[in-house]
Amino acid sequence: MKTKTTLETETFEEVVARRIERRSFLKGMLAAVPVMVVSAGSLGNASQVVGQARNKAVNSAVNASGTLTFKPIGLDRLDAVKVPQNYVSNTLLRWGDPILNGAPAFDISNQTKQTQSQQFGYNCDFVAYFPLEVTFPLKEGEEIAVSNRGILTVNHEYVNPELMFPGYTGGAPTLSQAEVTIAAHGMSVVEIQRTNGVWSYIQNSSYNRRITGETPMQFTGAAAGDDLLKTTDDPTGTQVLGMFNNCGGGFTPWGTVLTAEENFNQYFGNRNAIPDSDPRKAIHARYGLPTGASELKYETFFPRFNLATNPNEAFRFGWIVEIDPYNPNWTPKKRTALGRFKHEAATVTKSADNRAVVYTGDDERFDYMYKFVSRNPISPVREENFDILDSGTLYVAKFNDDGTGTWIPLVAGQGALSGWTQAQILINTRGAGDAVGATKMDRPEDIERNPVNGKVYAAFTNNTQRGTTGLPGTNAANPRPVNRHGHIIEILENNNDAGAGSFTWEIFMLCGNPRNLGDRTYFAGLNSVTARRFVSPLSCPDNISFDSSGNLWIATDGMPSNLPGNDGIFAVATEGAERGIVKQFLSSVIGCETAGLFITQDDRTLFVTIQHPGEGTTLANPSSRFPDYNQQMPPRPSVVVITKTNGSPIIGS
Ligand code: FEO
Ligand code: CA
Ligand code: CA
């Protein structure tokens, strides 16, 4: 018998109608608008109804000057970083650039573990800027002054060996190639300076550091020392070598960086060698570890990556790692209290009673969104915060269809977790989320708090399996079946307190092309006429960031498969008459994603990471030659710096 999917039981129009009802209930704004029965294919009308309450203001103000005054660019397929008129893009750091004292210059034909360990790594992702000449934590109301010297921390998420090594044979690396790629992971910590408005990096700075897949790290928090973290190499379960697949991240009020291990599963091989009777096998399956050989074949050279002989090593990855960028000798800490999953983002904010709150998501189809709230308040003494993320409560989000939501605590002995230890919850966090009935989301990516209105914005990049046969159907928080374009949810914690146990939420944006009815887009209540006229099409929101005026900046990952343009950066107002009007700010190069973005506190600099340029092709004939556009040079993942040509802030006139 054919299974009836949610696709068939609930139409998108019905979901939208429910949203209209909820908005009416919550805000009283649409009380006069009848909840219409929207006929199939008339989504444009539905969007129009949702937006009616604000039409007047929007229509009269779309041309007024707001803070986002740049002239939007359009979709573009050129192999070039394109920005609006009066802005300029410069490359600051490239894969292979020498970072440490004595590091050799980049030479693609002479790569070793040693050279790569001293050079800028591959596939840069999350980027954060830490000013020098500032004392953390900042006092209430204190802002970081315009800073011309700082430290950049840059994640190196993964590798594309087919674009790194001449003559690379897919799926069959040599030992030396495997060693180089392990060294190309992790993080670079690099001092940079601004001279006459131009940023450059300082080779040999004493702050500079390379953290790789082999850097010694420590486990802290309730899971540290648990049996599942013990291996032959580390019988204490407290020490581990390296971090992998560091994607998103965050920075703390006490001036450390948090970096998020995401798709760690891909580095391990041979799950099927574990007997079915061993409960570890099911956990590894829930986390998607390969049944046979891995793509990078590390397990053939290094036993720790072989699940057949080392079934616990994989439990030592998938964590949030804290690093002090101001101290190159600091041992990185894997903070187990924040749970283990394919971490995307680690955005830190403060609760009303000054505790540290960390928002983090699990970037998998049908997985969950989380937050951690520390037990202790943030101390005015910087070093006293170095253990603050080890004690507290991890929560998982439940989004109710009526626009309310609950943070369900993941605490041993409570409710559905009565038979669990806290270490089990932290190591098999997905299983704990399953047990308590958290809401299955469309791939949680970045989560950020708006510095102006305090609301929390979460990007869900896409989920083309939503509502397909045998898989979960739509819910109000994930309203589109076969969600190709992704969406953004706007969350208001109760009393605007990040420490709250419940929240209200609404869809901020259903991405896509507003000119294409089939995309079923929604842009913060704009009516369809306004959206078609003024909104830049975008797809697959990933990393997000705010400028100081509370405009949301969105980097995309996956545009070309859905829209005729390279990935890019888009900005959108979250308040006021221009709320919802998306404007394209940057178009990136061929085959890349615009992975990380960071706006400095003075709004004058936007750092952007260009990850995997040329992906999908090989070194013999790459689709991108960014950033050097030299036939002798490969495409190189890089950090670029966007400034206004006159040096003024990138927002405003
Ligand atoms: Fe590495 Fe979730 O993007
Ligand atoms: Ca990401
Ligand atoms: Ca992504």
Side-chain angles (χ1 to χ4, degrees):
M1 198 177 85
K2 187 168 177 271
T3 312
K4 207 169 188 193
T5 67
T6 301
L7 257 177
E8 292 159 319
T9 58
E10 183 175 42
T11 66
F12 176 77
E13 288 73 18
E14 286 168 329
V15 172
V16 169
R18 273 198 287 134
R19 304 299 305 141
I20 297 166
E21 275 184 302
R22 190 185 71 70
R23 286 175 66 91
S24 311
F25 170 74
L26 284 179
K27 298 193 168 173
M29 286 170 61
L30 299 172
V33 178
V35 176
M36 51 192 276
V37 179
V38 186
S39 61
S42 65
L43 182 75
N45 293 338
S47 299
Q48 219 158 336
V49 172
V50 175
Q52 272 180 6
R54 293 181 37 240
N55 285 355
K56 205 171 162 202
V58 168
N59 286 337
S60 62
V62 282
N63 293 320
S65 67
T67 52
L68 294 174
T69 50
F70 65 86
K71 187 165 182 281
I73 62 170
L75 296 171
D76 200 313
R77 278 184 155 153
L78 291 175
D79 188 32
V81 175
K82 193 172 157 189
V83 288
Q85 221 175 4
N86 303 325
Y87 293 81
V88 63
S89 163
N90 287 301
T91 304
L92 173 64
L93 281 158
R94 301 156 163 82
W95 167 51
D97 276 347
I99 301 298
L100 302 187
N101 204 355
F106 177 68
D107 177 356
I108 196 165
S109 60
N110 184 23
Q111 302 180 71
T112 67
K113 170 180 169 176
Q114 286 72 26
T115 61
Q116 179 63 91
S117 302
Q118 303 171 73
Q119 297 167 334
F120 194 69
Y122 205 77
N123 273 347
C124 35
D125 201 300
F126 177 77
V127 56
Y129 173 80
F130 293 85
L132 289 168
E133 298 142 5
V134 68
T135 308
F136 288 100
L138 299 176
K139 296 183 183 66
E140 204 57 47
E142 184 184 10
E143 291 190 11
I144 293 167
V146 174
S147 162
N148 288 319
R149 276 181 71 218
I151 300 170
L152 213 60
T153 66
V154 186
N155 283 357
H156 300 298
E157 185 184 19
Y158 71 105
V159 291
N160 291 90
E162 69 282 5
L163 288 166
M164 296 172 73
F165 303 105
Y168 181 78
T169 304
T174 64
L175 170 63
S176 169
Q177 287 167 342
E179 289 176 337
V180 169
T181 58
I182 287 173
H185 282 81
M187 177 183 278
S188 290
V189 181
V190 190
E191 184 180 348
I192 60 172
Q193 65 184 355
R194 177 167 54 185
T195 311
N196 300 324
V198 177
W199 289 98
S200 59
Y201 82 89
I202 303 173
Q203 193 189 341
N204 306 338
S205 162
S206 59
Y207 290 108
N208 292 1
R209 182 178 190 186
R210 269 308 320 281
I211 293 160
T212 74
E214 293 190 332
T215 301
M217 307 194 174
Q218 187 186 346
F219 287 109
T220 66
D226 187 81
D227 283 350
L228 286 178
L229 298 189
K230 292 176 181 169
T231 63
T232 320
D233 290 342
D234 171 30
T236 69
T238 59
Q239 312 291 327
V240 60
L241 292 183
M243 57 185 194
F244 283 96
N245 217 264
N246 293 73
C247 186
F251 47 91
T252 66
W254 51 95
T256 59
V257 60
L258 301 182
T259 173
E261 290 185 309
E262 193 189 32
N263 297 303
F264 67 91
N265 56 313
Q266 66 182 275
Y267 302 95
F268 298 88
N270 302 325
R271 188 218 318 162
N272 271 355
I274 302 174
D276 289 348
S277 57
D278 186 333
R280 293 175 295 187
K281 188 175 191 178
I283 303 175
H284 287 328
R286 178 68 177 86
Y287 282 78
L289 273 73
T291 52
S294 73
E295 180 66 24
L296 288 169
K297 302 286 193 300
Y298 289 169
E299 71 273 12
T300 64
F301 302 110
F302 314 103
R304 68 177 175 133
F305 297 103
N306 187 353
L307 294 164
T309 48
N310 283 290
N312 283 358
E313 182 73 3
F315 292 126
R316 294 146 61 84
F317 296 85
W319 302 101
I320 295 291
V321 187
E322 184 171 8
I323 294 166
D324 181 0
Y326 294 96
N327 179 358
N329 298 315
W330 211 72
T331 302
K333 309 286 191 299
K334 294 201 176 187
R335 301 294 189 193
T336 67
L338 278 68
R340 174 177 166 271
F341 39 91
K342 294 184 181 176
H343 273 285
E344 176 79 37
T347 295
V348 188
T349 185
K350 294 178 191 177
S351 66
D353 57 1
N354 200 36
R355 288 176 292 156
V357 178
V358 188
Y359 292 96
T360 177
D362 185 352
D363 183 4
E364 188 84 70
R365 298 181 188 103
F366 307 112
D367 254 296
Y368 309 126
M369 179 174 155
Y370 299 83
K371 79 171 176 184
F372 170 85
V373 183
S374 69
R375 186 181 64 197
N376 296 326
I378 297 170
S379 167
V381 180
R382 180 176 192 246
E383 287 73 19
E384 288 182 358
N385 298 303
F386 283 176
D387 298 328
I388 196 173
L389 299 181
D390 290 335
S391 307
T393 305
L394 183 65
Y395 299 85
V396 66
K398 183 165 177 58
F399 290 81
N400 301 316
D401 278 5
D402 65 356
T404 63
T406 311
W407 292 108
I408 305 172
L410 298 177
V411 176
Q414 283 190 14
L417 300 172
S418 61
W420 294 59
T421 66
Q422 196 59 33
Q424 285 171 334
I425 291 169
L426 298 178
I427 293 169
N428 181 17
T429 311
R430 285 184 169 180
D434 296 341
V436 301
T439 303
K440 299 179 185 305
M441 308 300 290
D442 285 347
R443 294 187 55 195
E445 293 265 16
D446 203 356
I447 306 160
E448 297 284 335
R449 193 173 192 194
N450 187 324
V452 175
N453 65 19
K455 292 178 182 172
V456 175
Y457 294 73
F460 300 90
T461 193
N462 61 61
N463 180 356
T464 51
Q465 295 178 5
R466 170 74 65 185
T468 58
T469 305
L471 290 168
T474 56
N475 53 52
N478 301 275
R480 276 192 301 201
V482 192
N483 182 9
R484 292 163 61 217
H485 294 299
H487 61 283
I488 297 174
I489 294 179
E490 185 179 51
I491 295 166
L492 179 60
E493 297 273 24
N494 273 7
N495 301 316
N496 214 343
D497 176 5
S502 55
F503 56 90
T504 57
W505 63 270
E506 61 182 284
I507 299 283
F508 180 65
M509 184 185 298
L510 297 173
C511 302
N513 185 348
R515 291 153 202 91
N516 180 2
L517 274 188
D519 285 358
R520 303 172 161 187
T521 55
Y522 173 81
F523 295 93
L526 294 180
N527 70 43
S528 59
V529 175
T530 308
R532 272 187 223 127
R533 189 159 169 214
F534 295 106
V535 166
S536 298
L538 80 168
S539 186
C540 303
D542 189 330
N543 278 0
I544 55 179
S545 189
F546 284 98
D547 61 41
S548 64
S549 296
N551 298 301
L552 179 64
W553 294 67
I554 304 161
T556 66
D557 171 18
M559 289 260 295
S561 57
N562 293 327
L563 292 171
N566 295 338
D567 277 308
I569 288 180
F570 301 78
V572 58
T574 57
E575 297 286 351
E578 295 204 4
R579 173 177 155 94
I581 296 183
V582 178
K583 299 179 178 180
Q584 182 163 4
F585 180 78
L586 180 147
S587 174
S588 61
V589 307
I590 295 174
C592 88
E593 80 180 76
T594 39
L597 73 172
F598 186 97
I599 301 165
T600 52
Q601 291 81 353
D602 62 4
D603 284 331
R604 287 172 199 271
T605 305
L606 169 64
F607 295 105
V608 176
T609 55
I610 304 290
Q611 189 187 82
H612 59 75
E615 190 167 72
T617 58
T618 66
L619 202 49
N621 188 22
S623 60
S624 172
R625 288 285 182 186
F626 171 82
D628 300 309
Y629 302 104
N630 173 336
Q631 294 299 308
Q632 310 309 313
M633 293 298 263
R636 296 164 79 184
S638 300
V639 179
V640 298
V641 182
I642 315 295
T643 52
K644 217 162 179 182
T645 41
N646 66 5
S648 62
I650 60 169
I651 57 170
S653 47

